[in-house]
């Protein structure tokens, strides 16, 4: 199975250690989503924009760990998207983005430009 990650799970980011057993497949941009800073991590929501990230091949154990990290308390839900590498899961932010910083480049690595 595959997963699209766009924030702290990306290479050289704070939670990239969760992807230790994953196989990087390549970069990808997802259309019709907007990226917001939730603090130390981002949230992508449906909207007019694009979100830049990475696609990985992962095993069921890694997916279960990521679900425990991301879907607790209903903060994210996992949705299936299409990528050049095949279908992949993406965690979509479920809470209100009102008052959060919008990252209009769609790239979490640009977050310091929008403070």
């Amino acid at each position: 199975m595959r997963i699209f990650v766009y924030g702290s799970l990306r290479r050289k980011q704070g939670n990239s250690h969760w992807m230790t057993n994953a196989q990087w497949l390549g970069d990808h941009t997802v259309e019709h989503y907007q990226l917001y800073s939730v603090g130390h991590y981002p949230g992508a929501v449906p909207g007019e924009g694009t979100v830049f990230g990475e696609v990985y091949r992962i095993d069921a154990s890694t997916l279960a760990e990521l679900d425990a990290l991301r879907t607790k308390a209903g903060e994210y839900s996992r949705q299936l998207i299409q990528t050049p590498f095949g279908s992949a899961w993406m965690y979509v932010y479920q809470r209100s983005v009102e008052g959060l910083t919008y990252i209009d480049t769609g790239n979490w690595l640009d977050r310091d430009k929008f403070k």
Side-chain angles (χ1 to χ4, degrees):
M1 70 188 74
R2 287 167 295 278
I3 190 163
F4 171 77
V5 298
Y6 53 84
S8 65
L9 294 171
R10 289 173 61 183
R11 291 174 287 174
K12 300 180 182 176
Q13 296 302 300
N15 282 326
S16 62
H17 61 277
W18 289 94
M19 305 303 287
T20 302
N21 295 324
Q23 176 191 4
W24 180 76
L25 299 176
D27 295 329
H28 179 59
T29 302
V30 177
E31 296 182 7
H32 309 294
Y33 283 89
Q34 294 176 317
L35 193 66
Y36 289 86
S37 175
V38 184
H40 296 294
Y41 56 93
V45 298
E48 298 295 320
T50 59
V51 173
F52 181 80
E54 302 164 356
V55 180
Y56 290 86
R57 183 180 316 281
I58 59 172
D59 58 21
S61 174
T62 300
L63 183 63
E65 291 172 350
L66 294 176
D67 276 351
L69 178 70
R70 292 288 179 231
T71 61
K72 65 182 177 186
E75 192 170 25
Y76 293 86
S77 70
R78 187 163 34 95
Q79 296 181 12
L80 204 56
I81 62 165
Q82 297 305 312
T83 78
F85 312 101
S87 59
W89 291 110
M90 173 182 176
Y91 290 103
V92 177
Y93 193 65
Q94 297 298 298
R95 297 186 179 158
S96 171
V97 296
E98 186 175 336
L100 298 180
T101 301
Y102 174 53
I103 302 171
D104 70 4
T105 63
N107 190 337
W108 178 242
L109 303 183
D110 293 339
R111 65 190 174 274
D112 291 337
K113 299 176 186 175
F114 296 93
K115 288 186 176 178

